[in-house]
Amino acid sequence: MTHSISQSRRSLLTAAAAGLGLATSGGISRATVPSCLRGTGDLGVVVERASGSVLVVETSRRTSLGRVEGLGDLSHASVVFSRDERYAYVFGRDGGLTKVDILNLSVERRVIQAGNAIGGAISDDGRIVAVSNYEPGGVRFFDAGTLEPIAEVPAIDRYGARSKTVGLVDLPFGRFAWSLYDGGEIWLADFQRRGNTPMLTRIFDIGRLPYDGVVTSDGRWYVAGLFGEDALVRLDLWSERLHPERVLDGYGKGEAPLPVYKMPHMEGWAAVGDRLLLPAVGRQEVLMVERDTFRSVATIPVHGQPVFVVARPDGRQAWVNFAHPYNDVIEVIDIPSASVVHRLRPGPAVLHMEFTPRGHEVWISVRDANRIDVYETLNFTKVTELAAGKPSGIFFTSRAHRIGL
Amino acid sequence: MTHSISQSRRSLLTAAAAGLGLATSGGISRATVPSCLRGTGDLGVVVERASGSVLVVETSRRTSLGRVEGLGDLSHASVVFSRDERYAYVFGRDGGLTKVDILNLSVERRVIQAGNAIGGAISDDGRIVAVSNYEPGGVRFFDAGTLEPIAEVPAIDRYGARSKTVGLVDLPFGRFAWSLYDGGEIWLADFQRRGNTPMLTRIFDIGRLPYDGVVTSDGRWYVAGLFGEDALVRLDLWSERLHPERVLDGYGKGEAPLPVYKMPHMEGWAAVGDRLLLPAVGRQEVLMVERDTFRSVATIPVHGQPVFVVARPDGRQAWVNFAHPYNDVIEVIDIPSASVVHRLRPGPAVLHMEFTPRGHEVWISVRDANRIDVYETLNFTKVTELAAGKPSGIFFTSRAHRIGL
């Protein structure tokens, strides 16, 4: 169930870079042997989808520290961090769950926990890692230290049919939430009071075919997108009685219904103060709504169909990337005026953006240029580039301290 | 200007504990030799005022890792962290600025940079540490790596008189803000465009005798308390034109004017969504106001004169401690209902509270019991106790990732 992995060192990275045809000119990082003691607050990982590896990076001097390989199929991979910010849990599409030691640049543990998986989460106390599975549909829970399984919750709906699970998030106090795609239910698991046996709460009649879900950063509002309806559904988790509420009618298709081939990931929503910015489905627009009511505040025309709408940490701007064929561009929205104030063209296939924790810089994966670009956010100046093999998601350790990621 | 300090080890801690008459029974931590590699996302420091030391702690297993001594006068001491979460910068009242290596449990650098100081800050890029000084009045800036001075801004008001400086905070993009107590001005320093020579902006006519200042966590609103007036003043830092706006008339004294002997620290304000909770001055009340207008939403009666009103990270509750003679108690406010829902009595002289980053536990300094108590926040159960010598402020490394601390 587990296997070891070679540690990434200078020679490895160089070899890998050469094999991927990466440039080695200015701004290209080098792997270094990890020093005995170093802080982990400025570390991160970059998913290299094509090669099944992650690049470990640090944001203080903007360098790569090394590459960790052998992580399997990393399409749609996501990452969460241990609360001490030493370990990255990498969730692969093939059901692989890998615990990467980002200080030691090694695989600490690895399990293949299902046949087909989508996303994971870690409890606020750092004790439990959860993985959302398509096949077999359900959520599995693992000891974050050992990756030993501690609980499994098959997603069997009220009619007895098994569902894919989607939209798995952590909630405060040892809880998790997810949705049943086929069954149209939202489930909550509570480990706070019951040790390794979660107390389950099931919400019915949420609408048809939830395809993804998010929770606001206070852990209050769980929102699921409904593929089978032209709307979203949400739950107020602070309420004594949990009842699903349909919001944002017309979100799914809009005024001119079109076949929807790809729904935007709901992780790509920006919550800023009492506003929520979300990518419109199938339209070249970003929607700004009131966070507590989902009433529309503004519709912001943008360059293409938005994928991620990421808030700068101070909440003054949101940066937006786009679906093909407009995916070489990023637009910057000024939130107070609800308007686009800047456009960048980093290069082919901009897949993800991650801000440094206090927002002075942003890291951008430019997949088809095999490059990470780092920009100053204030003046949009490129600071440096780092070589990476077909980079997709970028994840910094400060995520360890945030709710609902 | 610098001096070395002995490293804290098991023997030292034991000796110190014995000297302070600390209990050594269950729940008491032991210092351990730092391991070669460990993450720093779960570390913190506890200020031990009487002995001029800090205790380095970790919140995963809730233990002390060791004590670092020789930090001078730590009354009103505060702490910020390097962006890699390895170093704690400790600002002493005597003008001492100490860079503590919390992995190695040692003093990395130490300077006496003024005769009398109050508080400090670190820039978002981690490059510059700033200290606010009473004597001589002004703000000094240091290289965060070496503690070499890089700039000094004497606080000389428009009439040529020197002021004490108060309310120093970091702002996004290499900026800082502070207030001139005697001169009644707010100053902004911008290092983003000018390297080591800050561009200064001065705001006049803010009102008389600002005694402290805070900035909201988005870096937008800088608010100063006015000792010489019965109100606060604030600046909208997102505005093109900075003009001071008087808000919350009656804050300073209230309906029944009383002599005000001690103003609450403004760090002890809780910002939650579109609400701000602040301790009333001289009254047994917590005020809830609208964040953007400072209009009153509710006045919440509490057990004593509040000192700190600290929001749980999810923003559902705020925990409040009190001034003497009610300082053995903590009350918990439910924010949606604006009411007190729980009262704890941890022990004599509860000075500070710090939540774990995602809020599942809270650490409480009980000074006169020489103890840190750790509580589960959901059910108010005490999880453990740690010995500490007259503990005051508790600071966890996740602060490194937040704006305005």
Side-chain angles (χ1 to χ4, degrees), chain A residues 275-299:
Chain A
R275 299 278 188 267
L276 208 56
L277 279 79
L278 51 159
V281 175
R283 283 179 287 164
Q284 299 189 343
E285 290 170 358
V286 168
L287 311 179
M288 183 185 288
V289 303
E290 288 182 2
R291 203 193 78 146
D292 286 356
T293 62
F294 269 78
R295 275 196 294 256
S296 175
V297 176
T299 300

PDB file of all heavy atoms in Angstrom, chain A residues 275-299:
ATOM      1  N   ARG A 275     -19.093  40.481   0.260  1.00  0.00           N
ATOM      2  CA  ARG A 275     -19.263  40.186  -1.164  1.00  0.00           C
ATOM      3  C   ARG A 275     -18.698  38.803  -1.483  1.00  0.00           C
ATOM      4  O   ARG A 275     -17.763  38.333  -0.837  1.00  0.00           O
ATOM      5  CB  ARG A 275     -18.476  41.190  -2.016  1.00  0.00           C
ATOM      6  CG  ARG A 275     -18.899  42.621  -1.849  1.00  0.00           C
ATOM      7  CD  ARG A 275     -20.110  42.898  -2.715  1.00  0.00           C
ATOM      8  NE  ARG A 275     -20.439  44.316  -2.738  1.00  0.00           N
ATOM      9  CZ  ARG A 275     -21.314  44.895  -1.911  1.00  0.00           C
ATOM     10  NH1 ARG A 275     -21.903  44.201  -0.971  1.00  0.00           N
ATOM     11  NH2 ARG A 275     -21.581  46.181  -2.020  1.00  0.00           N
ATOM     12  N   LEU A 276     -19.257  38.194  -2.523  1.00  0.00           N
ATOM     13  CA  LEU A 276     -18.735  36.956  -3.078  1.00  0.00           C
ATOM     14  C   LEU A 276     -18.583  37.191  -4.566  1.00  0.00           C
ATOM     15  O   LEU A 276     -19.495  37.724  -5.209  1.00  0.00           O
ATOM     16  CB  LEU A 276     -19.743  35.852  -2.797  1.00  0.00           C
ATOM     17  CG  LEU A 276     -19.356  34.406  -2.652  1.00  0.00           C
ATOM     18  CD1 LEU A 276     -18.305  34.209  -1.578  1.00  0.00           C
ATOM     19  CD2 LEU A 276     -20.612  33.601  -2.282  1.00  0.00           C
ATOM     20  N   LEU A 277     -17.419  36.843  -5.113  1.00  0.00           N
ATOM     21  CA  LEU A 277     -17.220  36.943  -6.564  1.00  0.00           C
ATOM     22  C   LEU A 277     -17.118  35.545  -7.124  1.00  0.00           C
ATOM     23  O   LEU A 277     -16.316  34.741  -6.633  1.00  0.00           O
ATOM     24  CB  LEU A 277     -15.951  37.730  -6.883  1.00  0.00           C
ATOM     25  CG  LEU A 277     -16.055  39.256  -6.825  1.00  0.00           C
ATOM     26  CD1 LEU A 277     -15.993  39.728  -5.390  1.00  0.00           C
ATOM     27  CD2 LEU A 277     -14.957  39.900  -7.655  1.00  0.00           C
ATOM     28  N   LEU A 278     -17.906  35.244  -8.152  1.00  0.00           N
ATOM     29  CA  LEU A 278     -17.854  33.899  -8.685  1.00  0.00           C
ATOM     30  C   LEU A 278     -17.888  33.910 -10.202  1.00  0.00           C
ATOM     31  O   LEU A 278     -18.452  34.806 -10.820  1.00  0.00           O
ATOM     32  CB  LEU A 278     -18.960  33.015  -8.113  1.00  0.00           C
ATOM     33  CG  LEU A 278     -20.405  33.467  -8.133  1.00  0.00           C
ATOM     34  CD1 LEU A 278     -21.293  32.231  -7.992  1.00  0.00           C
ATOM     35  CD2 LEU A 278     -20.702  34.391  -6.974  1.00  0.00           C
ATOM     36  N   PRO A 279     -17.234  32.914 -10.812  1.00  0.00           N
ATOM     37  CA  PRO A 279     -17.233  32.839 -12.262  1.00  0.00           C
ATOM     38  C   PRO A 279     -18.624  32.498 -12.774  1.00  0.00           C
ATOM     39  O   PRO A 279     -19.271  31.596 -12.262  1.00  0.00           O
ATOM     40  CB  PRO A 279     -16.245  31.699 -12.557  1.00  0.00           C
ATOM     41  CG  PRO A 279     -16.055  30.953 -11.298  1.00  0.00           C
ATOM     42  CD  PRO A 279     -16.455  31.833 -10.168  1.00  0.00           C
ATOM     43  N   ALA A 280     -19.103  33.243 -13.748  1.00  0.00           N
ATOM     44  CA  ALA A 280     -20.355  32.869 -14.409  1.00  0.00           C
ATOM     45  C   ALA A 280     -20.122  31.585 -15.186  1.00  0.00           C
ATOM     46  O   ALA A 280     -19.018  31.287 -15.612  1.00  0.00           O
ATOM     47  CB  ALA A 280     -20.806  33.987 -15.342  1.00  0.00           C
ATOM     48  N   VAL A 281     -21.190  30.804 -15.343  1.00  0.00           N
ATOM     49  CA  VAL A 281     -21.074  29.548 -16.082  1.00  0.00           C
ATOM     50  C   VAL A 281     -21.352  29.813 -17.559  1.00  0.00           C
ATOM     51  O   VAL A 281     -22.426  30.298 -17.919  1.00  0.00           O
ATOM     52  CB  VAL A 281     -22.073  28.510 -15.537  1.00  0.00           C
ATOM     53  CG1 VAL A 281     -22.038  27.249 -16.384  1.00  0.00           C
ATOM     54  CG2 VAL A 281     -21.766  28.190 -14.089  1.00  0.00           C
ATOM     55  N   GLY A 282     -20.370  29.525 -18.409  1.00  0.00           N
ATOM     56  CA  GLY A 282     -20.584  29.626 -19.852  1.00  0.00           C
ATOM     57  C   GLY A 282     -20.664  31.052 -20.384  1.00  0.00           C
ATOM     58  O   GLY A 282     -21.040  31.256 -21.530  1.00  0.00           O
ATOM     59  N   ARG A 283     -20.320  32.017 -19.558  1.00  0.00           N
ATOM     60  CA  ARG A 283     -20.366  33.409 -20.016  1.00  0.00           C
ATOM     61  C   ARG A 283     -19.081  34.128 -19.649  1.00  0.00           C
ATOM     62  O   ARG A 283     -18.389  33.737 -18.707  1.00  0.00           O
ATOM     63  CB  ARG A 283     -21.560  34.126 -19.379  1.00  0.00           C
ATOM     64  CG  ARG A 283     -22.871  33.763 -20.019  1.00  0.00           C
ATOM     65  CD  ARG A 283     -24.014  34.469 -19.339  1.00  0.00           C
ATOM     66  NE  ARG A 283     -24.279  33.874 -18.028  1.00  0.00           N
ATOM     67  CZ  ARG A 283     -25.000  34.461 -17.075  1.00  0.00           C
ATOM     68  NH1 ARG A 283     -25.479  35.660 -17.241  1.00  0.00           N
ATOM     69  NH2 ARG A 283     -25.211  33.841 -15.931  1.00  0.00           N
ATOM     70  N   GLN A 284     -18.780  35.201 -20.354  1.00  0.00           N
ATOM     71  CA  GLN A 284     -17.555  35.959 -20.107  1.00  0.00           C
ATOM     72  C   GLN A 284     -17.836  37.032 -19.066  1.00  0.00           C
ATOM     73  O   GLN A 284     -17.737  38.230 -19.323  1.00  0.00           O
ATOM     74  CB  GLN A 284     -17.038  36.548 -21.422  1.00  0.00           C
ATOM     75  CG  GLN A 284     -16.716  35.431 -22.438  1.00  0.00           C
ATOM     76  CD  GLN A 284     -16.014  35.936 -23.672  1.00  0.00           C
ATOM     77  OE1 GLN A 284     -16.000  37.116 -23.969  1.00  0.00           O
ATOM     78  NE2 GLN A 284     -15.384  35.013 -24.392  1.00  0.00           N
ATOM     79  N   GLU A 285     -18.159  36.559 -17.864  1.00  0.00           N
ATOM     80  CA  GLU A 285     -18.571  37.475 -16.796  1.00  0.00           C
ATOM     81  C   GLU A 285     -18.129  36.919 -15.443  1.00  0.00           C
ATOM     82  O   GLU A 285     -18.101  35.706 -15.233  1.00  0.00           O
ATOM     83  CB  GLU A 285     -20.102  37.608 -16.760  1.00  0.00           C
ATOM     84  CG  GLU A 285     -20.690  38.344 -17.922  1.00  0.00           C
ATOM     85  CD  GLU A 285     -22.219  38.248 -17.966  1.00  0.00           C
ATOM     86  OE1 GLU A 285     -22.800  37.557 -17.080  1.00  0.00           O
ATOM     87  OE2 GLU A 285     -22.799  38.824 -18.876  1.00  0.00           O
ATOM     88  N   VAL A 286     -17.845  37.832 -14.539  1.00  0.00           N
ATOM     89  CA  VAL A 286     -17.694  37.496 -13.122  1.00  0.00           C
ATOM     90  C   VAL A 286     -18.887  38.108 -12.396  1.00  0.00           C
ATOM     91  O   VAL A 286     -19.229  39.277 -12.624  1.00  0.00           O
ATOM     92  CB  VAL A 286     -16.357  38.032 -12.550  1.00  0.00           C
ATOM     93  CG1 VAL A 286     -16.336  37.938 -11.033  1.00  0.00           C
ATOM     94  CG2 VAL A 286     -15.183  37.261 -13.154  1.00  0.00           C
ATOM     95  N   LEU A 287     -19.517  37.308 -11.562  1.00  0.00           N
ATOM     96  CA  LEU A 287     -20.682  37.781 -10.823  1.00  0.00           C
ATOM     97  C   LEU A 287     -20.271  38.218  -9.427  1.00  0.00           C
ATOM     98  O   LEU A 287     -19.533  37.509  -8.745  1.00  0.00           O
ATOM     99  CB  LEU A 287     -21.729  36.669 -10.707  1.00  0.00           C
ATOM    100  CG  LEU A 287     -22.091  35.949 -12.009  1.00  0.00           C
ATOM    101  CD1 LEU A 287     -23.121  34.852 -11.727  1.00  0.00           C
ATOM    102  CD2 LEU A 287     -22.607  36.940 -13.036  1.00  0.00           C
ATOM    103  N   MET A 288     -20.748  39.385  -9.012  1.00  0.00           N
ATOM    104  CA  MET A 288     -20.537  39.825  -7.635  1.00  0.00           C
ATOM    105  C   MET A 288     -21.883  39.802  -6.939  1.00  0.00           C
ATOM    106  O   MET A 288     -22.838  40.445  -7.408  1.00  0.00           O
ATOM    107  CB  MET A 288     -19.934  41.236  -7.600  1.00  0.00           C
ATOM    108  CG  MET A 288     -19.608  41.731  -6.197  1.00  0.00           C
ATOM    109  SD  MET A 288     -19.036  43.457  -6.149  1.00  0.00           S
ATOM    110  CE  MET A 288     -17.409  43.315  -6.849  1.00  0.00           C
ATOM    111  N   VAL A 289     -21.967  39.032  -5.837  1.00  0.00           N
ATOM    112  CA  VAL A 289     -23.236  38.917  -5.115  1.00  0.00           C
ATOM    113  C   VAL A 289     -23.009  39.253  -3.646  1.00  0.00           C
ATOM    114  O   VAL A 289     -21.884  39.238  -3.155  1.00  0.00           O
ATOM    115  CB  VAL A 289     -23.849  37.491  -5.237  1.00  0.00           C
ATOM    116  CG1 VAL A 289     -24.063  37.105  -6.696  1.00  0.00           C
ATOM    117  CG2 VAL A 289     -22.965  36.447  -4.550  1.00  0.00           C
ATOM    118  N   GLU A 290     -24.083  39.568  -2.955  1.00  0.00           N
ATOM    119  CA  GLU A 290     -24.036  39.743  -1.510  1.00  0.00           C
ATOM    120  C   GLU A 290     -23.802  38.384  -0.858  1.00  0.00           C
ATOM    121  O   GLU A 290     -24.514  37.420  -1.166  1.00  0.00           O
ATOM    122  CB  GLU A 290     -25.352  40.311  -0.969  1.00  0.00           C
ATOM    123  CG  GLU A 290     -25.581  41.755  -1.300  1.00  0.00           C
ATOM    124  CD  GLU A 290     -26.883  42.270  -0.692  1.00  0.00           C
ATOM    125  OE1 GLU A 290     -27.560  41.478   0.019  1.00  0.00           O
ATOM    126  OE2 GLU A 290     -27.223  43.419  -0.933  1.00  0.00           O
ATOM    127  N   ARG A 291     -22.866  38.317   0.040  1.00  0.00           N
ATOM    128  CA  ARG A 291     -22.506  37.038   0.608  1.00  0.00           C
ATOM    129  C   ARG A 291     -23.656  36.394   1.381  1.00  0.00           C
ATOM    130  O   ARG A 291     -23.846  35.185   1.336  1.00  0.00           O
ATOM    131  CB  ARG A 291     -21.313  37.224   1.555  1.00  0.00           C
ATOM    132  CG  ARG A 291     -20.516  35.978   1.780  1.00  0.00           C
ATOM    133  CD  ARG A 291     -19.572  36.144   2.951  1.00  0.00           C
ATOM    134  NE  ARG A 291     -20.319  35.996   4.189  1.00  0.00           N
ATOM    135  CZ  ARG A 291     -19.813  35.447   5.289  1.00  0.00           C
ATOM    136  NH1 ARG A 291     -18.568  35.038   5.288  1.00  0.00           N
ATOM    137  NH2 ARG A 291     -20.536  35.336   6.373  1.00  0.00           N
ATOM    138  N   ASP A 292     -24.416  37.196   2.090  1.00  0.00           N
ATOM    139  CA  ASP A 292     -25.423  36.614   2.979  1.00  0.00           C
ATOM    140  C   ASP A 292     -26.757  36.348   2.291  1.00  0.00           C
ATOM    141  O   ASP A 292     -27.604  35.641   2.833  1.00  0.00           O
ATOM    142  CB  ASP A 292     -25.635  37.513   4.196  1.00  0.00           C
ATOM    143  CG  ASP A 292     -24.466  37.402   5.163  1.00  0.00           C
ATOM    144  OD1 ASP A 292     -23.562  36.587   4.911  1.00  0.00           O
ATOM    145  OD2 ASP A 292     -24.452  38.145   6.157  1.00  0.00           O
ATOM    146  N   THR A 293     -26.970  36.920   1.118  1.00  0.00           N
ATOM    147  CA  THR A 293     -28.260  36.746   0.447  1.00  0.00           C
ATOM    148  C   THR A 293     -28.126  36.176  -0.959  1.00  0.00           C
ATOM    149  O   THR A 293     -29.102  35.722  -1.530  1.00  0.00           O
ATOM    150  CB  THR A 293     -28.978  38.097   0.304  1.00  0.00           C
ATOM    151  OG1 THR A 293     -28.156  38.941  -0.528  1.00  0.00           O
ATOM    152  CG2 THR A 293     -29.176  38.763   1.656  1.00  0.00           C
ATOM    153  N   PHE A 294     -26.919  36.239  -1.535  1.00  0.00           N
ATOM    154  CA  PHE A 294     -26.680  35.863  -2.927  1.00  0.00           C
ATOM    155  C   PHE A 294     -27.412  36.770  -3.906  1.00  0.00           C
ATOM    156  O   PHE A 294     -27.565  36.442  -5.078  1.00  0.00           O
ATOM    157  CB  PHE A 294     -27.023  34.386  -3.190  1.00  0.00           C
ATOM    158  CG  PHE A 294     -25.839  33.489  -2.983  1.00  0.00           C
ATOM    159  CD1 PHE A 294     -25.435  33.130  -1.717  1.00  0.00           C
ATOM    160  CD2 PHE A 294     -25.088  33.031  -4.057  1.00  0.00           C
ATOM    161  CE1 PHE A 294     -24.337  32.321  -1.519  1.00  0.00           C
ATOM    162  CE2 PHE A 294     -23.990  32.212  -3.868  1.00  0.00           C
ATOM    163  CZ  PHE A 294     -23.620  31.861  -2.593  1.00  0.00           C
ATOM    164  N   ARG A 295     -27.868  37.915  -3.446  1.00  0.00           N
ATOM    165  CA  ARG A 295     -28.443  38.890  -4.378  1.00  0.00           C
ATOM    166  C   ARG A 295     -27.329  39.504  -5.207  1.00  0.00           C
ATOM    167  O   ARG A 295     -26.253  39.799  -4.704  1.00  0.00           O
ATOM    168  CB  ARG A 295     -29.198  39.985  -3.617  1.00  0.00           C
ATOM    169  CG  ARG A 295     -30.626  39.605  -3.283  1.00  0.00           C
ATOM    170  CD  ARG A 295     -31.442  40.831  -2.893  1.00  0.00           C
ATOM    171  NE  ARG A 295     -30.948  41.390  -1.642  1.00  0.00           N
ATOM    172  CZ  ARG A 295     -31.559  41.236  -0.457  1.00  0.00           C
ATOM    173  NH1 ARG A 295     -32.667  40.552  -0.377  1.00  0.00           N
ATOM    174  NH2 ARG A 295     -31.058  41.788   0.626  1.00  0.00           N
ATOM    175  N   SER A 296     -27.610  39.750  -6.478  1.00  0.00           N
ATOM    176  CA  SER A 296     -26.600  40.286  -7.380  1.00  0.00           C
ATOM    177  C   SER A 296     -26.258  41.724  -7.018  1.00  0.00           C
ATOM    178  O   SER A 296     -27.141  42.550  -6.768  1.00  0.00           O
ATOM    179  CB  SER A 296     -27.118  40.218  -8.816  1.00  0.00           C
ATOM    180  OG  SER A 296     -26.199  40.846  -9.669  1.00  0.00           O
ATOM    181  N   VAL A 297     -24.958  42.016  -6.976  1.00  0.00           N
ATOM    182  CA  VAL A 297     -24.479  43.386  -6.764  1.00  0.00           C
ATOM    183  C   VAL A 297     -23.982  43.964  -8.087  1.00  0.00           C
ATOM    184  O   VAL A 297     -24.233  45.122  -8.404  1.00  0.00           O
ATOM    185  CB  VAL A 297     -23.339  43.406  -5.728  1.00  0.00           C
ATOM    186  CG1 VAL A 297     -22.767  44.806  -5.580  1.00  0.00           C
ATOM    187  CG2 VAL A 297     -23.814  42.858  -4.395  1.00  0.00           C
ATOM    188  N   ALA A 298     -23.271  43.139  -8.863  1.00  0.00           N
ATOM    189  CA  ALA A 298     -22.715  43.616 -10.126  1.00  0.00           C
ATOM    190  C   ALA A 298     -22.415  42.423 -11.015  1.00  0.00           C
ATOM    191  O   ALA A 298     -22.178  41.318 -10.534  1.00  0.00           O
ATOM    192  CB  ALA A 298     -21.444  44.427  -9.884  1.00  0.00           C
ATOM    193  N   THR A 299     -22.426  42.654 -12.317  1.00  0.00           N
ATOM    194  CA  THR A 299     -21.959  41.677 -13.296  1.00  0.00           C
ATOM    195  C   THR A 299     -20.799  42.337 -14.030  1.00  0.00           C
ATOM    196  O   THR A 299     -20.959  43.409 -14.609  1.00  0.00           O
ATOM    197  CB  THR A 299     -23.086  41.319 -14.286  1.00  0.00           C
ATOM    198  OG1 THR A 299     -24.168  40.758 -13.537  1.00  0.00           O
ATOM    199  CG2 THR A 299     -22.593  40.311 -15.303  1.00  0.00           C
TER     200      THR A 299
END
